Amino acid sequence: QKEVEQNSGPLSVPEGAIASLNCTYSDRGSQSFFWYRQYSGKSPELIMFIYSNGDKEDGRFTAQLNKASQYVSLLIRDSQPSDSATYLCAPTGGRALTFGSGTRLQVQP
Amino acid sequence: EAEVAQSPRYKITEKSQAVAFWCDPISGHATLYWYRQILGQGPELLVQFQDESVVDDSQLPKDRFSAERLKGVDSTLKIQPAELGDSAMYLCASSDGFAEAFFGQGTRLTVV
């Protein structure tokens, strides 16, 4: 089992819809969870950080964490074509950031 | 704004040649990572430094890859000899402890 599992996609949603991106992880010691966005040919950039169970909202982005189920998700409301990118999940528990393979999101105008 | 500097941005090399990448992290960041990213996959950790010490190099192919961070600041990743399968993006990132990692622009390596 991989440490971090993500559906590679592509996940295609129409403009204005909600995009839901999911991630499961195997290390129960993971304490913090990062979501990075990576545009094609560019480096990853952090968009959300969560460490407590429940929801964390930042603008159009909501991260949801369930440590008991070892599951973290990212919701993007009012999706825009500029949100089209690969979204990488990265749990950390005092070790190096380990990334999932990423989910490619396509927002159709 | 502080950023992670990497060079070169692009590198084309012939197989069996040596190649080196350089990274200068954000000032004050003790943790430095080297990742390899193959197209369509997530970044794969090659090595993690804490200051000048290697914390994790379990995924570094040590028969051909080496990494150093002699003074605990900038770092060099070397491949010798390069193989066709080494073609990838090599990303350097730095962080202050186990907080957010900031990435450089990466080095796109093509081995021919």
Side-chain angles (χ1 to χ4, degrees):
Chain A
Q1 182 187 9
K2 292 183 179 178
E3 287 191 46
V4 184
E5 298 268 10
Q6 293 184 259
N7 188 324
S8 61
L11 172 65
S12 184
V13 300
E15 184 174 355
I18 296 175
S20 178
L21 307 164
N22 304 315
C23 171
T24 58
Y25 59 95
S26 60
D27 184 1
R28 286 194 171 274
S30 298
Q31 298 296 318
S32 306
F33 302 85
F34 298 92
W35 280 100
Y36 281 79
R37 177 178 62 199
Q38 187 174 27
Y39 291 113
S40 180
K42 303 295 185 182
S43 296
E45 57 177 337
L46 184 73
I47 55 171
M48 285 291 285
F49 164 64
I50 187 168
Y51 59 89
S52 298
N53 276 326
D55 296 357
K56 179 181 179 182
E57 186 175 319
D58 184 1
R60 296 187 295 111
F61 298 96
T62 299
Q64 299 175 319
L65 174 60
N66 184 325
K67 290 185 179 180
S69 299
Q70 295 177 250
Y71 176 92
V72 58
S73 65
L74 179 70
L75 300 178
I76 306 174
R77 290 182 301 280
D78 188 23
S79 295
Q80 301 296 310
S82 60
D83 295 326
S84 297
T86 296
Y87 290 80
L88 300 161
C89 169
T92 182
R95 302 186 303 158
L97 284 180
T98 303
F99 290 88
S101 58
T103 298
R104 187 157 63 94
L105 173 66
Q106 295 177 340
V107 181
Q108 306 295 332
Chain B
E1 181 177 318
E3 60 181 29
V4 177
Q6 285 189 251
S7 66
R9 290 288 310 279
Y10 304 93
K11 180 70 177 179
I12 300 174
T13 191
E14 293 183 347
K15 63 180 181 179
S16 79
Q17 295 298 304
V19 63
F21 314 128
W22 177 80
C23 172
D24 191 12
I26 292 173
S27 178
H29 280 190
T31 304
L32 185 147
Y33 305 98
W34 282 102
Y35 290 90
R36 175 173 60 186
Q37 187 173 26
I38 296 170
L39 193 64
Q41 299 182 19
E44 172 196 17
L45 178 70
L46 293 175
V47 61
Q48 176 192 357
F49 288 94
Q50 184 69 23
D51 298 309
E52 67 276 8
S53 299
V54 173
V55 174
D56 185 349
D57 64 355
S58 57
Q59 300 302 311
L60 187 70
K62 299 181 185 63
D63 57 336
R64 297 185 301 108
F65 286 65
S66 64
E68 60 182 16
R69 193 183 183 198
L70 293 176
K71 296 182 179 180
V73 181
D74 59 337
S75 176
T76 302
L77 178 70
K78 297 179 181 177
I79 307 175
Q80 182 174 19
E83 296 181 352
L84 295 177
D86 296 331
S87 295
M89 175 78 86
Y90 290 82
L91 295 163
C92 179
S94 71
S95 72
D96 181 6
F98 294 105
E100 170 189 4
F102 295 84
F103 284 83
Q105 294 193 23
T107 296
R108 170 78 62 190
L109 173 66
T110 301
V111 182
V112 297

